[in-house]
Amino acid sequence: MNGIILVDKPQGWSSFDIIRKFRNQLSTSNGQAPKMGHAGTLDPMATGLVIVLVGNYTKKQDKFMKLDKVYEAKITLGSNSDTDDAEGNTTKISDHQPRQDVIESALNSFIGNISQIPPQFSAIKVDGVRAYKKARSGGSTKLKARDVNIYSIELLDYDYPTISIRCEVGSGTYIRSLARDLGASINTGAYLSGLRRLSIGDLSVEDAISPEAVNEENIVDVDN
């Protein structure tokens, strides 16, 4: 078994939950499970496309990880979150309701090659320790800003306090950080309150299956 499986991850599942389930479902009669991995995690809160790598495709992880991605996201104004999303502890910042043109201008300012600091609750390692592990114990990690590419941001809807956007981004971009930085730029505070990944490169969530539906026929060898 070699190839990829496109999965539409439900809310509440981790990417590793999917891998564990697939290993059980695709085990051979002698209990042997194929080697598996994934090409880019999604937080449990998020939904959408996850690429599961099977067999020798696990060696191609970097190739898939570097592909551009498209997301739809909901951002809630007025508060900050210690995780930069709805799963964290929030702190009220402001009741100010910015005009739509102000929000559109702020969003446009993030398009291009920008410097972005990852969230404290991220898998980035500093001195061999993942940032989220230190954050969970009440500490913090000095994370370095890094260059990321945001190709486009489209404002889909604005109904205070919620903004809905669609964005196309390069590898390594955190939508949680974009939400946090948007809130800072318009002095209201903000956090990510919903996220759905629509595509990775040319691969679309429209072609994905639910985790419950997997079988060997869903494994696609995209090199052939």
Side-chain angles (χ1 to χ4, degrees):
M1 285 185 267
N2 300 298
I4 64 171
I5 305 172
L6 303 184
V7 184
D8 187 351
K9 187 187 85 65
Q11 192 170 29
W13 287 57
S14 73
S15 300
F16 290 106
D17 289 337
I18 293 172
I19 297 298
R20 281 192 291 268
K21 183 171 183 60
F22 283 14
R23 281 180 177 150
N24 289 333
Q25 290 184 237
L26 296 175
S27 293
T28 59
S29 57
N30 64 3
Q32 193 77 17
K35 189 174 182 181
M36 286 189 181
H38 63 79
T41 189
L42 275 178
D43 294 331
M45 182 191 81
T47 69
L49 185 60
V50 171
I51 301 175
V52 175
L53 309 170
V54 183
N56 60 23
Y57 268 71
T58 57
K59 299 176 182 178
K60 303 178 183 183
Q61 184 185 50
D62 284 350
K63 169 187 170 182
F64 290 100
M65 292 279 285
K66 291 176 181 176
L67 295 174
D68 298 334
K69 300 169 180 69
V70 176
Y71 295 93
E72 283 188 358
K74 292 187 183 299
I75 298 170
T76 298
L77 303 180
S79 299
N80 285 336
S81 166
D82 58 0
T83 60
D84 297 323
D85 66 16
E87 296 191 324
N89 298 312
T90 59
T91 302
K92 187 70 177 179
I93 300 298
S94 172
D95 287 316
H96 174 61
Q97 300 183 25
R99 300 191 315 270
Q100 181 167 319
D101 63 309
V102 172
I103 290 170
E104 289 176 330
S105 177
L107 288 170
N108 287 337
S109 72
F110 290 101
I111 296 174
N113 183 265
I114 65 168
S115 181
Q116 185 184 75
I117 298 176
Q120 283 292 316
F121 283 80
S122 66
I124 293 173
K125 284 185 176 181
V126 176
D127 297 328
V129 179
R130 296 198 183 276
Y132 70 81
K133 289 188 176 180
K134 195 168 184 179
R136 284 174 181 168
S137 64
S140 63
T141 303
K142 188 172 179 59
L143 296 171
K144 295 181 180 178
R146 55 187 188 175
D147 290 340
V148 298
N149 283 304
I150 299 180
Y151 305 114
S152 66
I153 305 176
E154 177 186 0
L155 179 63
L156 301 176
D157 186 59
Y158 175 39
D159 184 11
Y160 182 86
T162 305
I163 299 169
S164 297
I165 64 170
R166 179 186 176 102
C167 54
E168 182 179 2
V169 303
S171 174
T173 304
Y174 280 93
I175 310 302
R176 281 185 288 151
S177 293
L178 174 62
R180 177 199 65 211
D181 294 345
L182 172 66
S185 73
I186 56 177
N187 299 312
T188 64
Y191 61 87
L192 185 69
S193 50
L195 185 67
R196 180 162 177 78
R197 187 155 64 195
L198 302 180
S199 65
I200 301 174
D202 295 329
L203 303 170
S204 172
V205 71
E206 293 181 1
D207 299 316
I209 62 166
S210 75
E212 309 294 341
V214 68
N215 58 53
E216 288 189 39
E217 294 178 359
N218 302 126
I219 302 173
V220 180
D221 186 349
V222 291
D223 286 344
N224 292 327

